[in-house]
Amino acid sequence: MNISSLIAQAERDCGPVFAALEETEMKNTRRVLDAFRAEDIAARHFAPTTGYGYDDIGRDALERVFARLFGAESAIVRPSIACGTAALSLCLFGLLLPGDELLSITGTPYDTMETVIGLSGNAPGNLKEMGVSYAQVEMAENQTKIDVPGVLDAIKPHTKVILIQRSRGYAWRASLRPEEMREVIESVHNLRPDIFVMVDNCYGEFICENEPTHFGADVCVGSLIKNAGGGLAPTGAYLAGTKRAIERIEARLTAPGLGREVGSYAASYQPFYQGLFMAPHTVTQALKTAILAARTFELLGMKTTPAFDAPRADIIQAIEMGDPQKLIAFVQGIQAASPIDASAVPEPWDMPGYTDQVIMAAGTFVGGASIELSADAPMRAPFTVYLQGGLTYAHGKIALISALEEMA
Ligand SMILES: *Cc1c(COP(=O)(O)O)cnc(C)c1O
């Protein structure tokens, strides 16, 4: 089969899956609109501020919009939080005290969290140095489910925070839909209401019609240069959760006693609002790109997760290339079809915070934004590439054709 008839076949197969996605997009767009209307968002909320940022109405209203959308009591939404890892780290340092234990219940967390926790490296100021211990529970049933009895067994008197990572990250495990977290969250809170359940929600926002906070998670954390920024937010991250959790975290964000009352932004808040408005649509475009890629490589006999027609909980598509040359060609083909830096040729390199060499394609408007089409892969067997993002499906499809051409 030549490339264009392969893609045409894959696209036909994807039709019913795409139709279901558009329904979710409708529902989530309605949820976003409802939150904007409830907060009466107007042009005055876009205005930049300087200095301390007391009474910054754009910042405060944006935080209330996020809290509503997440069914949460409170939220922190700040351009000043450098990235998703910084927000997750902020959350952990806000909630944990020396002598407490952090329990990850979705196996080893995302690579960049290892240096925060002190699992790898010896970065000054990590949780281990702070006297916070760490334990983890692997996922059950072939890495598809949270091991609820195992989690309850692993809870110790000093367990303070339970970490759930929604997305597969760079691991060959299932991603989790918010409703799949309900049972463990309820069981933990029944046993120990004082434990904070935090969810690394990166890549998960707007895939489903609800978020983990709707099922009782104490706090959800994510990056604004992924799903929730809709491809328009230029930087930043959010945390949404209970008043009890956010109060502790905001003390670390600025200073105890100051919390969310300070923090200015000297550019317009418009891209944050507009990005959030676009997010359900953008996420759908990214999902369609992922699903088309999955079906295409399935037709070529390769192993994918999730399968093109399986339920999804994040925007990541894993494809097992089985061969380093194919993997490199795929990533280079994606880069060559990027709007920005198309002439750059990605090569595997040692990236700070990651254990293996990594190769990535990212030709993005917002530096490193992975809601824009990007592909990354740690250089380790079985040479799985992780594809995510795509602001438009048309671009996703063109890039997939480019990757197939490069591989041929
Ligand atoms: C992206 C991501 C993070 C945070 O990464 P940053 O690059 O620091 O934004 C954490 N966990 C998961 C699962 C992620 O996808």
Side-chain angles (χ1 to χ4, degrees):
M1 227 189 310
N2 66 30
I3 292 174
S4 58
S5 44
L6 173 68
I7 297 276
Q9 176 64 52
E11 207 165 32
R12 274 195 298 278
D13 295 348
C14 291
V17 185
F18 288 178
L21 293 181
E22 281 152 20
E23 245 174 75
T24 305
E25 180 185 339
M26 272 289 283
K27 289 185 179 148
N28 281 334
T29 300
R30 201 179 295 282
R31 287 203 300 123
V32 172
L33 281 173
D34 286 345
F36 274 56
R37 288 189 289 221
E39 293 301 336
D40 202 12
I41 299 308
R44 67 178 183 280
H45 293 115
F46 303 158
T49 57
T50 57
Y52 293 104
Y54 293 127
D55 300 316
D56 181 330
I57 60 166
R59 177 198 70 206
D60 291 347
L62 186 63
E63 292 186 333
R64 290 196 303 272
V65 167
F66 265 77
R68 276 183 192 280
L69 264 174
F70 279 79
E73 290 169 353
S74 189
I76 297 171
V77 186
R78 300 284 165 134
S80 60
I81 303 177
C83 59
T85 305
L88 289 158
S89 177
L90 173 66
C91 184
L92 291 166
F93 281 93
L95 300 179
L96 289 155
L97 293 173
D100 290 340
E101 182 153 289
L102 166 67
L103 177 64
S104 163
I105 63 169
T106 44
T108 308
Y110 192 74
D111 296 45
T112 59
M113 295 309 291
E114 294 189 14
T115 52
V116 175
I117 297 167
L119 285 178
S120 69
N122 216 357
N126 68 23
L127 282 175
K128 192 168 153 191
E129 188 192 60
M130 279 267 300
V132 171
S133 61
Y134 171 79
Q136 76 183 41
V137 176
E138 298 306 319
M139 284 173 70
E141 295 183 36
N142 203 18
Q143 305 265 76
T144 59
K145 293 204 158 49
I146 292 175
D147 176 6
V148 180
V151 170
L152 297 178
D153 264 358
I155 291 177
K156 299 176 193 140
H158 60 298
T159 302
K160 173 70 76 61
V161 172
I162 283 185
L163 170 65
I164 299 177
Q165 184 181 304
R166 175 169 179 179
S167 163
R168 73 188 66 253
Y170 280 151
W172 193 274
R173 49 154 272 212
S175 302
L176 294 167
R177 297 170 64 85
E179 66 264 23
E180 295 175 281
M181 302 172 192
R182 181 207 293 258
E183 186 192 348
V184 77
I185 294 171
E186 284 177 358
S187 309
V188 166
H189 282 156
N190 281 339
L191 182 71
R192 285 277 305 278
D194 60 306
I195 289 180
F196 294 101
V197 178
M198 73 175 265
V199 178
D200 173 353
N201 206 31
C202 284
Y203 285 138
E205 302 88 354
F206 300 115
I207 307 289
C208 306
E209 286 156 25
N210 38 47
E211 300 296 341
T213 30
H214 290 112
F215 294 102
D218 292 273
V219 56
C220 255
V221 184
S223 164
L224 294 181
I225 65 166
K226 294 181 177 173
N227 304 19
L232 294 179
T235 185
Y238 75 88
L239 304 96
T242 57
K243 208 161 164 278
R244 183 175 80 106
I246 297 295
E247 265 174 5
R248 294 200 61 89
I249 297 164
E250 68 182 63
R252 285 284 162 272
L253 171 73
T254 59
L258 298 184
R260 286 185 298 131
E261 304 285 311
V262 293
S264 60
Y265 185 55
S268 172
Y269 286 105
Q270 182 187 333
F272 298 95
Y273 285 102
Q274 196 173 353
L276 184 61
F277 169 74
M278 290 298 294
H281 177 68
T282 309
V283 167
T284 304
Q285 299 299 294
L287 281 173
K288 287 171 82 166
T289 300
I291 289 165
L292 181 71
R295 186 55 184 160
T296 302
F297 283 97
E298 284 162 22
L299 290 172
L300 290 171
M302 291 188 189
K303 225 170 122 183
T304 62
T305 184
F308 87 103
D309 55 353
R312 283 172 190 257
D314 64 25
I315 61 170
I316 303 184
Q317 182 61 51
I319 306 164
E320 224 178 83
M321 294 291 167
D323 168 324
Q325 286 325 109
K326 274 189 191 157
L327 168 64
I328 292 171
F330 177 90
V331 173
Q332 291 180 344
I334 296 289
Q335 183 74 38
S338 298
I340 310 298
D341 292 332
S343 64
V345 181
E347 299 285 350
W349 63 301
D350 295 305
M351 203 179 148
Y354 294 83
T355 329
D356 293 286
Q357 278 203 323
V358 175
I359 181 166
M360 28 175 93
T364 59
F365 292 93
V366 170
S370 43
I371 186 62
E372 299 185 46
L373 188 64
S374 49
D376 9 36
M379 294 303 293
R380 60 181 179 232
F383 302 100
T384 302
V385 68
Y386 298 85
L387 179 74
Q388 64 270 315
L391 296 180
T392 71
Y393 173 65
H395 174 223
K397 189 164 144 185
I398 291 165
L400 184 59
I401 294 169
S402 163
L404 289 165
E405 284 168 352
E406 196 67 40
M407 291 171 81

